[in-house]
Amino acid sequence: MSHRKIVVALGGNAILSTDPSAQAQEAALAETARHLVKLIQNGDELIITHGNGPQVGNLLLQNLAANSEKNPAFPLDSLVAMTEGSIGFWLQNALENALQDIHLDKTVVSVVTQVVVDKNDPAFLNPSKPIGPFYSEEEAKAESEKTGANFKEDAGRGWRKVVASPKPVYIKEIDSIRTLLDKGQIVIAAGGGGIPITKNENGYFSGVEAVIDKDFASQCLAELVEADLFIILTGVDYAYINYNKPNQEKLERVTVSQLQKYIQEGQFAPGSMLPKIQAAIDFVTNRPAGKAVITSLINLGALIESESGTIIVKDE
């Protein structure tokens, strides 16, 4: 099975384990790259997306800690761009080295990716994605009055700024990404869900304070490049029902309607497995020829050999 077009969405643990230093993240990505090149060796075209949750959170804290008139903190859209750059660099470097190890001559390129969202998306009326540090109620009120930001109480741990998580509508750089793929290059794109941008009445685009779910951005990208396979990597080899219960059951080959039934039963945790399942459903629904797989990085070799992992297909 060669020459499939594959979008691989890296999970957070592919980059960051416990040590947030650049060195540790580069080491984690060197290990990640060794698994990813198996797909390239197999003759597949590869587009890689990645998360940036912990990295953008850390960068925000650094910005706020140093915030002053001479060195003002940057807005969230700029921080997403910065982490797309830094993680893109680490991943490019790791993949180039892993390709050299197996004597494959391929170019790897990262695209700083802007993702269009609808300024009338209802998510903007109900910001729900917590970012940045914890504040006391007084600090949160003061900060909100000063900047107009929204704050919510977070699980008894304090108050945190919340931003909208709108749905991705379109990938601004899609033509460039397609051109790079046509030239046989390995592309890293839509990092951290992409930089959210909206269009105004004059047709101008600008960044917004928001966070796009990385699984949905990856799914949007997979559809636009007409991928044959959309692989969502996570910490487990399979998605499960009755997870961590005595009757836990791994899902191997599963249809959209079966998954929708499990979603109604509340089988998948919101904020972790649920968006992955929903992105996989959307992909195979909108691209019936395609398949989606949820599995772990370690399982990629088995996936190539024997279709291992949770494989999501449209209804027969």
Side-chain angles (χ1 to χ4, degrees):
M1 285 195 67
S2 65
H3 300 304
R4 296 171 298 183
K5 199 179 283 182
I6 302 180
V7 170
V8 178
L10 292 183
N13 53 353
I15 310 171
L16 184 67
S17 44
T18 47
D19 175 352
S21 70
Q23 292 81 353
Q25 295 186 69
E26 287 176 282
L29 279 167
E31 182 55 36
T32 296
R34 282 194 280 275
H35 291 284
L36 290 175
V37 293
K38 294 173 188 168
L39 293 167
I40 302 161
Q41 250 179 322
N42 194 48
D44 295 319
E45 279 180 73
L46 204 53
I47 306 103
I48 303 160
T49 70
H50 60 81
N52 71 343
Q55 294 85 358
V56 85
N58 289 351
L59 187 55
L60 179 66
L61 293 177
Q62 289 167 5
N63 266 255
L64 293 173
N67 188 21
S68 67
E69 211 164 303
K70 286 204 168 127
N71 186 14
F74 281 19
L76 192 55
D77 48 348
S78 298
L79 300 181
V80 172
M82 291 158 91
T83 54
E84 277 194 358
S86 55
I87 297 168
F89 152 59
W90 296 334
L91 188 48
Q92 253 174 246
N93 186 256
L95 282 165
E96 284 159 354
N97 292 339
L99 287 164
Q100 190 178 319
D101 287 341
I102 57 169
H103 311 296
L104 254 185
D105 188 19
K106 281 274 205 186
T107 308
V108 188
V109 64
S110 309
V111 178
V112 173
T113 313
Q114 304 172 87
V115 175
V116 181
V117 297
D118 180 355
K119 63 177 189 297
N120 300 315
D121 188 308
F124 286 111
L125 299 173
N126 180 28
S128 59
K129 190 89 181 150
I131 57 156
F134 290 95
Y135 292 97
S136 71
E137 190 170 355
E138 293 72 42
E139 289 168 333
K141 280 207 174 101
E143 190 67 24
S144 178
E145 277 161 25
K146 196 168 78 185
T147 62
N150 291 286
F151 285 82
K152 276 190 183 161
E153 204 275 329
D154 187 348
R157 294 179 297 174
W159 290 72
R160 282 178 91 188
K161 180 176 170 176
V162 285
V163 295
S165 187
K167 275 283 176 63
V169 176
Y170 194 69
I171 305 227
K172 192 87 166 43
E173 288 74 22
I174 195 64
D175 288 343
S176 306
I177 292 167
R178 287 180 183 137
T179 303
L180 292 164
L181 290 172
D182 289 346
K183 290 269 184 286
Q185 306 204 356
I186 298 156
V187 180
I188 301 160
I195 304 157
I197 58 170
T198 56
K199 193 178 192 171
N200 70 10
E201 313 53 75
N202 304 326
Y204 290 164
F205 287 97
S206 57
V208 284
E209 276 278 282
V211 174
I212 302 169
D213 183 286
K214 66 180 192 312
D215 296 314
F216 290 122
S218 303
Q219 168 238 325
C220 182
L221 179 64
E223 284 174 35
L224 289 169
V225 298
E226 300 184 332
D228 304 298
L229 190 58
F230 174 32
I231 303 175
I232 302 175
L233 295 180
T234 183
V236 286
D237 293 352
Y238 294 88
Y240 292 87
I241 51 170
N242 307 317
Y243 188 57
N244 275 341
K245 294 182 183 152
N247 59 342
Q248 168 177 304
E249 190 186 324
K250 68 181 178 192
L251 299 174
E252 294 186 76
R253 196 180 176 88
V254 60
T255 65
V256 166
S257 55
Q258 284 172 305
L259 283 176
Q260 280 162 337
K261 183 172 143 283
Y262 294 142
I263 289 172
Q264 284 171 339
E265 292 172 10
Q267 287 285 2
F268 308 115
S272 61
M273 191 53 85
L274 183 60
K276 294 173 174 52
I277 296 279
Q278 287 169 323
I281 287 175
D282 288 351
F283 174 71
V284 299
T285 303
N286 297 337
R287 187 157 166 70
K291 276 192 296 203
V293 182
I294 296 173
T295 192
S296 69
L297 185 65
I298 311 300
N299 203 41
L300 267 187
L303 170 64
I304 298 166
E305 299 297 309
S306 63
E307 293 221 312
S308 176
T310 295
I311 295 168
I312 295 113
V313 292
K314 69 174 180 39
D315 292 291
E316 297 306 323

